[in-house]
Amino acid sequence: MRTLLVLMLLAVLVMAATCYESHESMESHEYLNPFLNRRRANDFIQADSRLRAITQERIRERSKAPQEHQRERCEDYYPCEMYAFRHGYAAAYKHYFGRRRTK
């Protein structure tokens, strides 16, 4: 019975130590009003930077490097792709498409 009482007192002390509301947490403005108003909700995100990032991504998609075009062309042709696994995409493209010239 005595050990039960000591354990219960210890549990109450641990609970009091961990659940204590400090004065610093009461000072926070979020404690009194945890929700932001509509105007301040997106202040930290700049609309211009989001649109600029989307625009830059679209530009990068349209203007690919020549190596990227060669790699995509090689990936579409199965023998070239198999050759690329062994020797690399640059060598595979040169082997399958480098010799072809238009007049």
Side-chain angles (χ1 to χ4, degrees):
M1 185 70 175
R2 185 177 224 175
T3 57
L4 182 62
L5 186 63
V6 170
L7 286 175
M8 191 182 310
L9 182 62
L10 184 62
V12 168
L13 287 174
V14 168
M15 186 177 72
T18 57
C19 297
Y20 173 71
E21 283 277 336
S22 66
H23 181 64
E24 287 83 18
S25 66
M26 297 288 198
E27 290 177 351
S28 174
H29 66 281
E30 295 168 353
Y31 180 76
L32 299 174
N33 188 10
F35 302 106
L36 295 173
N37 64 18
R38 290 180 183 175
R39 289 184 183 158
R40 289 192 52 216
N42 291 323
D43 281 348
F44 59 93
I45 297 176
Q46 299 291 331
D48 298 338
S49 64
R50 286 185 296 171
L51 292 176
R52 191 178 312 120
I54 291 170
T55 305
Q56 290 297 323
E57 182 65 27
R58 296 296 177 249
I59 290 171
R60 271 187 245 116
E61 285 177 1
R62 278 188 270 150
S63 58
K64 293 181 182 176
Q67 293 84 6
E68 184 66 26
H69 286 292
Q70 291 175 358
R71 183 181 180 124
E72 288 177 357
R73 186 171 178 194
C74 189
E75 285 176 348
D76 291 339
Y77 186 53
Y78 185 73
C80 183
E81 187 177 16
M82 290 296 110
Y83 192 88
F85 285 141
R86 180 169 286 218
H87 302 286
Y89 278 100
Y93 184 83
K94 186 176 179 182
H95 179 76
Y96 283 98
F97 303 107
R99 286 184 244 140
R100 297 181 185 179
R101 302 278 183 209
T102 58
K103 291 184 181 183

